[in-house]
């Protein structure tokens, strides 16, 4: 275990204890000697961690301290790199650019010994053909974020055009298809619309009634009931 990872694990361990914990207990849990533990605690204090206590009494970490270079373990770094890589390859240009900027910010606060995990991760995302988007996802995302009604021109599965006013509550990304989850005023029910079949979209001034989070819970409940009713006994 590298020194940086060890300090990170020590910080996470101290956060779990609300009362002072002995150095012997911490050393045993981390699998290190007490001498190494005392040196690591001294180093964290030098970096600004508000750790109270001393050998023979115990240690407690005061809340509110966050050490940017130690926010992530090596596995968490690879998970972040994989997730951001997926966003880059599976979403639109705007989200892909945001993912790249986020990756740069993460890299900026990592020490050199961990930064290579972002650049040389063994976890990769394969290429996939993204369906052509007539309407930018950023427009649909804005309607979701602002809880506004959305007027759309849509092509159904048979290619027939239709106009709908919907209350968008979420955007779902699948392997090669993106869908918007919404309440459809025409059908008076939740419906799923493929974003590549939306030919026109206008974010309306009118907000839809209720909170998006509540509607999302209602949709999940409806999905759960539908799945249960389809089970064969």
């Amino acid at each position: 275990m590298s020194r940086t990872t060890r300090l990170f694990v020590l910080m996470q361990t101290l956060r779990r204890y609300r009362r002072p914990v002995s150095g012997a207990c911490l050393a045993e849990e981390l699998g290190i000697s007490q001498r190494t533990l005392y040196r690591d605690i001294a180093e964290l204090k030098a970096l600004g961690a508000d750790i109270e206590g001393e050998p023979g009494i115990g240690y407690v970490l005061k809340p509110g301290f966050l050490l940017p270079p130690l926010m992530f373990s090596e596995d968490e770094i690879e998970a972040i790199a994989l997730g951001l890589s997926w966003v880059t390859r599976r979403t639109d240009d705007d989200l892909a650019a945001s993912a790249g900027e986020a990756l740069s910010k993460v890299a900026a606060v990592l020490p050199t010994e961990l930064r290579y995990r972002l650049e040389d991760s063994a976890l990769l995302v394969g290429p996939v053909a993204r369906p052509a988007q007539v309407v930018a996802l950023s427009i649909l995302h804005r309607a979701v974020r602002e809880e506004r009604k959305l007027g759309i021109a849509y092509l159904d599965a048979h290619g027939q055009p239709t106009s709908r006013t919907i209350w968008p509550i979420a955007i779902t990304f699948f392997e090669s298809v993106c869908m918007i989850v919404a309440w459809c005023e025409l059908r008076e029910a939740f419906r799923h619309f493929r974003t590549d079949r939306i030919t026109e979209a206008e974010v309306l001034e009118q907000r839809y009634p209720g909170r998006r989070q509540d509607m999302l819970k209602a949709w999940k409940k409806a999905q759960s009931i539908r799945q249960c009713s389809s089970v064969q006994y």
Side-chain angles (χ1 to χ4, degrees), residues 59-114:
Y59 299 92
V60 63
L61 175 67
K62 294 297 183 179
F65 177 73
L66 182 64
L67 193 60
L70 301 180
M71 284 192 296
F72 309 110
S73 67
E74 292 183 356
D75 287 342
E76 289 170 338
I77 290 170
E78 289 201 324
I80 290 171
L82 179 65
L84 291 175
S85 178
W86 190 96
V87 172
T88 299
R89 290 179 177 271
R90 295 291 197 273
T91 60
D92 65 346
D93 293 340
D94 289 337
L95 280 177
S98 296
E101 293 174 2
L103 195 62
S104 298
K105 290 179 180 179
V106 172
V109 299
L110 289 175
T112 303
E113 62 190 87
L114 291 180

Side-chain angles (χ1 to χ4, degrees), residues 129-148:
R130 291 187 296 186
Q133 295 283 154
V134 177
V135 176
L137 282 180
S138 58
I139 295 176
L140 308 181
H141 190 195
R142 176 193 159 204
V144 172
R145 186 170 51 240
E146 296 181 1
E147 301 182 346
R148 294 187 183 278

Side-chain angles (χ1 to χ4, degrees), residues 10-228:
L10 175 56
M11 287 286 298
Q12 295 299 93
T13 302
L14 284 169
R15 283 195 175 100
R16 296 204 311 267
Y17 291 95
R18 295 184 179 275
R19 297 181 179 179
V21 55
S22 70
C25 180
L26 288 170
E28 181 179 359
E29 185 172 345
L30 297 174
I32 59 178
S33 67
Q34 291 191 48
R35 181 179 179 181
T36 299
L37 174 75
Y38 298 146
R39 185 170 62 245
D40 288 349
I41 287 178
E43 185 165 354
L44 286 175
K45 285 183 175 181
L47 290 170
D50 188 5
I51 300 175
E52 292 185 351
E54 57 185 68
I57 297 178
Y59 299 92
V60 63
L61 175 67
K62 294 297 183 179
F65 177 73
L66 182 64
L67 193 60
L70 301 180
M71 284 192 296
F72 309 110
S73 67
E74 292 183 356
D75 287 342
E76 289 170 338
I77 290 170
E78 289 201 324
I80 290 171
L82 179 65
L84 291 175
S85 178
W86 190 96
V87 172
T88 299
R89 290 179 177 271
R90 295 291 197 273
T91 60
D92 65 346
D93 293 340
D94 289 337
L95 280 177
S98 296
E101 293 174 2
L103 195 62
S104 298
K105 290 179 180 179
V106 172
V109 299
L110 289 175
T112 303
E113 62 190 87
L114 291 180
R115 192 176 302 134
Y116 81 96
R117 289 291 185 185
L118 288 176
E119 303 168 351
D120 190 32
S121 175
L123 306 178
L124 306 175
V125 177
V128 66
R130 291 187 296 186
Q133 295 283 154
V134 177
V135 176
L137 282 180
S138 58
I139 295 176
L140 308 181
H141 190 195
R142 176 193 159 204
V144 172
R145 186 170 51 240
E146 296 181 1
E147 301 182 346
R148 294 187 183 278
K149 292 186 178 184
L150 188 68
I152 63 171
Y154 189 74
L155 298 177
D156 64 18
H158 304 290
Q160 297 301 311
T162 180
S163 297
R164 306 285 182 94
T165 297
I166 62 176
W167 309 352
I169 60 174
I171 298 176
T172 304
F173 295 90
F174 295 94
E175 184 65 17
S176 58
V177 175
C178 179
M179 305 188 76
I180 188 164
V181 180
W183 177 270
C184 177
E185 290 189 350
L186 177 65
R187 301 302 183 191
E188 296 185 341
F190 288 113
R191 288 292 186 267
H192 306 137
F193 300 91
R194 283 182 48 159
T195 59
D196 58 317
R197 291 180 181 169
I198 298 176
T199 57
E200 296 179 24
E202 179 185 5
V203 180
L204 306 179
E205 289 297 323
Q206 185 180 6
R207 294 180 180 272
Y208 49 75
R211 298 172 64 250
R212 186 184 69 84
Q213 291 86 348
D214 294 334
M215 294 186 63
L216 192 58
K217 289 179 182 178
W219 169 76
K220 290 180 179 179
K221 183 177 180 180
Q223 292 295 107
S224 178
I225 293 174
R226 181 179 300 176
Q227 290 173 2
C228 289

